Coordinates of all heavy atoms in Angstrom, one line a residue:
N227 N -49.6 188.4 66.0 CA -49.0 187.4 66.9 C -47.4 187.5 66.9 O -46.8 187.0 67.8 CB -49.4 186.0 66.5 CG -50.9 185.8 66.7 OD1 -51.5 186.3 67.6 ND2 -51.5 185.0 65.8
I228 N -46.9 188.2 65.9 CA -45.4 188.3 65.7 C -45.0 189.7 66.3 O -45.5 190.7 65.8 CB -45.0 188.2 64.3 CG1 -45.3 186.9 63.7 CG2 -43.5 188.4 64.2 CD1 -45.0 186.7 62.2
E229 N -44.3 189.6 67.4 CA -43.9 190.9 68.1 C -42.5 191.4 67.6 O -41.5 190.7 67.6 CB -43.9 190.6 69.6 CG -45.2 190.3 70.2 CD -45.2 190.1 71.7 OE1 -44.1 190.4 72.3 OE2 -46.2 189.7 72.3
I230 N -42.5 192.6 67.1 CA -41.3 193.3 66.7 C -41.1 194.5 67.5 O -42.0 195.4 67.5 CB -41.3 193.6 65.2 CG1 -41.7 192.4 64.3 CG2 -40.1 194.3 64.8 CD1 -40.6 191.4 64.2
E231 N -40.0 194.5 68.3 CA -39.8 195.7 69.2 C -39.1 196.8 68.4 O -38.0 196.6 67.8 CB -38.9 195.3 70.4 CG -38.7 196.4 71.4 CD -37.8 195.9 72.6 OE1 -37.6 194.7 72.7 OE2 -37.5 196.8 73.4
I232 N -39.7 198.0 68.4 CA -39.1 199.2 67.7 C -39.0 200.3 68.7 O -40.1 200.7 69.3 CB -39.9 199.5 66.5 CG1 -39.9 198.4 65.5 CG2 -39.3 200.8 65.8 CD1 -40.8 198.7 64.2
K233 N -37.9 200.9 68.9 CA -37.7 202.0 69.8 C -38.1 203.3 69.1 O -37.6 203.5 68.0 CB -36.3 202.1 70.3 CG -35.9 200.9 71.2 CD -34.4 201.1 71.7 CE -33.9 199.9 72.5 NZ -32.5 200.1 72.9
E234 N -38.9 204.1 69.7 CA -39.3 205.4 69.2 C -38.1 206.3 68.9 O -38.1 207.0 67.9 CB -40.3 206.1 70.1 CG -41.0 207.3 69.5 CD -42.1 206.9 68.5 OE1 -42.6 205.7 68.6 OE2 -42.5 207.7 67.6
S235 N -37.1 206.1 69.7 CA -35.8 207.0 69.5 C -35.1 206.6 68.3 O -34.2 207.3 67.8 CB -35.0 206.9 70.7 OG -34.6 205.5 71.0
D236 N -35.4 205.4 67.7 CA -34.6 204.9 66.5 C -35.4 205.4 65.2 O -34.9 205.0 64.1 CB -34.6 203.4 66.5 CG -33.6 202.8 67.5 OD1 -32.7 203.6 68.0 OD2 -33.7 201.6 67.9
L237 N -36.5 206.1 65.4 CA -37.2 206.5 64.2 C -37.1 207.9 63.8 O -37.0 208.8 64.7 CB -38.7 206.2 64.5 CG -39.1 204.8 64.8 CD1 -40.6 204.6 65.0 CD2 -38.6 203.8 63.7
K238 N -37.0 208.2 62.5 CA -37.1 209.6 62.0 C -38.3 209.6 61.1 O -38.5 208.9 60.1 CB -35.9 209.9 61.1 CG -35.9 211.3 60.5 CD -34.6 211.5 59.7 CE -34.5 212.8 59.1 NZ -35.4 212.9 57.9
I239 N -39.3 210.4 61.5 CA -40.6 210.5 60.8 C -40.8 211.8 60.1 O -40.7 212.9 60.7 CB -41.7 210.2 61.9 CG1 -41.5 208.9 62.6 CG2 -43.1 210.3 61.2 CD1 -42.5 208.6 63.7
D240 N -41.1 211.7 58.8 CA -41.4 212.9 58.0 C -42.8 212.8 57.4 O -43.3 211.7 57.1 CB -40.4 213.0 56.9 CG -38.9 213.0 57.4 OD1 -38.6 214.0 58.2 OD2 -38.1 212.2 57.0
T241 N -43.4 214.0 57.3 CA -44.7 214.0 56.5 C -44.4 214.9 55.3 O -43.6 215.8 55.3 CB -45.8 214.6 57.4 OG1 -45.3 216.0 57.8 CG2 -46.0 213.8 58.7
Y242 N -45.2 214.6 54.3 CA -45.0 215.3 53.0 C -46.3 215.3 52.2 O -47.2 214.4 52.5 CB -43.9 214.8 52.2 CG -44.0 213.3 51.8 CD1 -44.5 212.9 50.6 CD2 -43.7 212.3 52.8 CE1 -44.5 211.6 50.2 CE2 -43.8 211.0 52.4 CZ -44.2 210.6 51.2 OH -44.4 209.2 50.8
R243 N -46.4 216.0 51.1 CA -47.6 216.0 50.2 C -47.4 214.8 49.3 O -46.4 214.7 48.6 CB -47.7 217.4 49.5 CG -48.9 217.4 48.6 CD -49.0 218.7 47.9 NE -49.3 219.8 48.8 CZ -50.5 220.1 49.2 NH1 -51.5 219.5 48.7 NH2 -50.7 221.1 50.1
A244 N -48.4 214.0 49.2 CA -48.4 212.9 48.3 C -48.4 213.3 46.9 O -49.0 214.4 46.5 CB -49.6 211.9 48.6
S245 N -47.8 212.6 46.0 CA -47.8 212.9 44.6 C -48.0 211.6 43.8 O -47.7 210.5 44.2 CB -46.5 213.5 44.1 OG -45.4 212.6 44.3

Side-chain angles (χ1 to χ4, degrees):
N227 295 324
I228 299 174
E229 295 183 6
I230 306 292
E231 183 179 351
I232 300 176
K233 296 179 182 178
E234 193 73 24
S235 59
D236 288 340
L237 303 180
K238 179 176 179 287
I239 301 176
D240 301 303
T241 59
Y242 61 98
R243 181 178 293 274
S245 64

